[in-house]
Amino acid sequence: MSQGLVVADTTPLRHLVAIGKADLLASLYRCVSIGPVIQAELQASATPERVKKWIYGKPSWLDIRQEPDLGRSTLFAKYLLDPGERETLQMAVALQAELVLIDDRAGRNAAKECGLRISGTIGVFESAHDLGLLPNFLQVLSDIEASGFYLSSSFRSLILDRYQQRFRRLKLQATTEE
């Protein structure tokens, strides 16, 4: 479980809320921070009603912070980032976040270039599964795809390979503990 600052972009929150698994974030990270742009994106008219209700009733573990004054930062100018991704990464750099939750490829690349540690929606599920917080990983994977989360066939295969490795490791641990 992480004790440092965790900053999240819209996509992981949106999909975790959509399938009723947002509280995994509280279990894994204690507190997650977002900026006002992310808050607005979660309240946008095109956002699913369940997500809008969730952000309006903001859980206690979600911290909405004003973005630190970064002036006209050009740190991420070479990347095609939307305003939410830019805000998330600028916050993470300015506040020295331990982890950034982001799924967009350009955002992930920008974060890596700045030396930020990243995870995405699937990484949240994998971490929760490793800790025994998510017993039915395959069902959750199916649920997240049904919520509109896109997984390429190659990424899906990679996720399933990692699941099999975790499953074998956990099974081996259980056998040696007996």
Side-chain angles (χ1 to χ4, degrees), residues 20-75:
K21 297 295 182 189
D23 285 342
L24 287 175
L25 296 172
S27 298
L28 291 169
Y29 310 120
R30 196 183 75 226
C31 181
V32 175
S33 296
I34 64 171
V37 173
I38 301 305
Q39 180 183 18
E41 288 179 357
L42 293 169
Q43 295 170 334
S45 60
T47 301
E49 200 59 38
R50 181 177 189 166
V51 176
K52 286 192 271 193
K53 286 180 182 175
W54 179 83
I55 193 64
Y56 284 122
K58 182 184 93 53
S60 61
W61 53 264
L62 185 68
D63 180 32
I64 301 173
R65 296 177 176 237
Q66 289 299 314
E67 181 181 351
D69 185 16
L70 300 169
R72 294 205 168 261
S73 175
T74 59
L75 187 58

Side-chain angles (χ1 to χ4, degrees), residues 72-148:
R72 294 205 168 261
S73 175
T74 59
L75 187 58
F76 302 106
K78 72 179 183 179
Y79 295 96
L80 297 174
L81 303 176
D82 70 31
E85 293 157 356
R86 187 170 294 106
E87 174 189 72
T88 297
L89 295 179
Q90 288 175 334
M91 281 181 62
V93 168
L95 300 172
Q96 300 177 341
E98 180 180 317
L99 181 67
V100 179
L101 301 177
I102 190 166
D103 286 315
D104 177 78
R105 182 175 295 176
R108 291 171 72 88
N109 290 340
K112 286 178 191 175
E113 187 173 300
C114 289
L116 295 169
R117 194 171 135 245
I118 60 171
S119 182
T121 305
I122 301 302
V124 168
F125 293 147
E126 289 175 331
S127 295
H129 184 250
D130 284 347
L131 293 172
L133 301 171
L134 191 65
N136 196 339
F137 181 84
L138 297 177
Q139 180 61 53
V140 170
L141 189 61
S142 177
D143 293 345
I144 199 77
E145 286 182 293
S147 79

